[in-house]
Amino acid sequence: MNSPAIKGPSKAPSISDVARAAGVSVGTVSNVLNRPERVNEAMRTRVLTAIDELGFQRNEVARNLRERRTRTLGLVLSDITTPFASALARTVQGAALEAGYSVVFADNAEDVEREQDAVLDLYRNGVDGILLAPSPGSQAYLVDLLDKGWPIIAVNRRTQDAPVPAVITDHRGGAIEATDHLIRHGARRIGVVTRSPDISSISDRHAGYEEALAAAGVAHDHRLVLEAEPTVDGGREAVHRLLELPADVRPQAIMSFSTAMTLGCMIAFRELGVKVPDEVRFLAFDDAPWSVAMEPPLTSVALRSEHVGIEATARLIEWVGSGTRSLADDLVIPTHLIVRASCGCSQDKRL
């Protein structure tokens, strides 16, 4: 008795099979798959019905090889330990996965040489495009990549020496709103705890602070702006120095421009026995998850990392898909002032 022949796996239907079943050309099927807006509705329906009946599945690996795409994006962060960066990373990954892309992460630790190595490694390894949070320093090395048409979008900060389009938070507008809020509380001497303004996010905050003072007719006293390392210790030492100033200079309110420095500020207030907001009002940039758990809860400028991540990812994917730069100008995302108790609103009523 002969054994029944064992059938091998059936051949997967091809795009030609779909075209024959639908009674259309291979080009029409290709348009339905890749450029459906070019095909009228009746024709699209015929092709999609044939695809469904045949169980056709596009060979994405072959397609990506033909188009020299990997469906992978790079995200190079300036400091992944900050709440903004970690929230941005989660948002970018989610938006990319939804669009069928994976994400490769790198952290440049605020070092421009390390940043350059990461970007060039990603380029050589074939990612389709990059979202970059620039470090302090020059990004002139990007000019050659831009000239080659490689998609690059800066996030939260602008690049230096390279015309990279950016999706950024409105740091200047956020500082104007925050400073004006403290002025309306009666503060005329407003201290600033900050890192060096060698990145656009910080220089924009400085500009907004000075603009708000000028608009209110408040003199800008450079003694009230203290630069330190963007660390917990840096913030702590800066507050100590601010509160050691003579009584007629000492700040009535303080703003922190760095998340880590904000923690240092709160430690310094506790060490010095300074009551917030009774003796000094306080306001911080970046609404860290622990802001509401502080005593008192911190009035904060929310930087809206989720919005930045969604918009930047969408525009990068659009650029990758079309081959055309998707941002003519920087896209600026408004900040949001979250009012809690540290600015004095709980005792002065909400302004």
Side-chain angles (χ1 to χ4, degrees):
M1 180 176 176
N2 293 332
S3 299
I6 299 175
K7 293 183 178 180
S10 59
K11 182 181 177 183
S14 68
I15 194 170
S16 297
D17 296 328
V18 173
R20 279 192 295 270
V24 299
S25 69
V26 169
T28 298
V29 177
S30 178
N31 278 337
V32 169
L33 293 171
N34 300 299
R35 295 172 291 275
E37 71 282 355
R38 296 186 179 182
V39 185
N40 66 54
E41 186 175 353
M43 193 72 73
R44 283 203 308 271
T45 301
R46 283 169 57 187
V47 171
L48 292 173
T49 299
I51 286 172
D52 186 53
E53 290 176 349
L54 293 173
F56 171 78
Q57 291 185 334
R58 177 162 53 183
N59 187 333
E60 292 290 349
V61 172
R63 176 171 176 258
N64 289 336
L65 285 172
R66 284 195 304 273
E67 297 179 356
R68 296 189 177 182
R69 292 185 193 166
T70 61
R71 298 195 74 79
T72 303
L73 306 177
L75 174 60
V76 181
L77 297 163
S78 55
D79 181 0
I80 202 168
T81 65
T82 67
F84 182 92
S86 57
L88 179 71
R90 285 194 302 272
T91 303
V92 168
Q93 185 175 45
L97 287 173
E98 190 172 327
Y101 286 77
S102 59
V103 181
V104 179
F105 298 94
D107 177 21
N108 61 40
E110 300 283 20
D111 182 325
V112 74
E113 291 184 4
R114 182 166 163 175
E115 170 197 301
Q116 180 173 343
D117 289 342
V119 169
L120 295 179
D121 280 347
L122 289 168
Y123 173 73
R124 285 189 288 266
N125 282 288
V127 300
D128 295 332
I130 277 190
L131 297 175
L132 169 66
S135 302
S138 173
Q139 280 76 41
Y141 69 91
L142 293 175
V143 172
D144 181 54
L145 300 182
L146 290 167
D147 288 344
K148 292 175 180 175
W150 199 48
I152 310 169
I153 293 179
V155 289
N156 199 43
R157 302 170 178 175
R158 292 182 297 275
T159 53
Q160 298 184 48
D161 306 319
V164 177
V167 177
I168 56 176
T169 302
D170 186 7
H171 299 283
R172 174 179 158 276
I176 290 173
E177 184 179 17
T179 306
D180 182 65
H181 186 78
L182 293 172
I183 290 171
R184 287 189 290 120
H185 267 299
R188 308 291 287 180
R189 301 189 301 275
I190 301 174
V192 173
V193 173
T194 179
R195 60 178 291 169
S196 172
D198 53 1
I199 51 176
S200 67
S201 55
I202 300 300
S203 61
D204 286 354
R205 292 174 197 177
H206 279 262
Y209 163 73
E210 294 174 14
E211 186 173 331
L213 292 179
V218 177
H220 179 210
D221 189 336
H222 293 278
R223 291 173 293 179
L224 292 174
V225 178
L226 282 187
E227 293 181 16
E229 289 297 311
T231 62
V232 173
D233 283 343
R236 175 181 166 275
E237 292 166 7
V239 166
H240 274 268
R241 288 164 59 194
L242 280 171
L243 296 181
E244 289 169 358
L245 290 169
D248 62 338
V249 179
R250 190 178 308 136
Q252 299 160 313
I254 294 175
M255 287 195 297
S256 169
F257 282 175
S258 158
T259 305
M261 297 178 92
T262 294
L263 281 171
C265 293
M266 297 303 290
I267 291 170
F269 293 142
R270 187 180 68 239
E271 289 174 339
L272 296 168
V274 172
K275 294 180 181 178
V276 176
D278 299 336
E279 296 175 77
V280 63
R281 303 177 191 274
F282 185 64
L283 189 152
F285 264 75
D286 199 358
D287 188 45
W290 39 258
S291 297
V292 72
M294 288 291 180
E295 185 54 45
L298 302 185
T299 293
S300 304
V301 177
L303 302 181
R304 305 179 75 187
S305 56
E306 292 83 1
H307 289 74
V308 173
I310 289 170
E311 294 290 350
T313 305
R315 280 159 174 74
L316 184 64
I317 290 172
E318 180 184 345
W319 188 350
V320 168
S322 67
T324 303
R325 178 170 166 157
S326 52
L327 274 173
D329 300 301
D330 293 346
L331 178 64
V332 181
I333 307 296
T335 57
H336 174 53
L337 182 65
I338 299 177
V339 177
R340 300 192 182 100
S342 67
C343 62
C345 274
S346 60
Q347 58 192 29
D348 295 349
K349 298 182 181 180
R350 294 291 173 100
L351 296 178

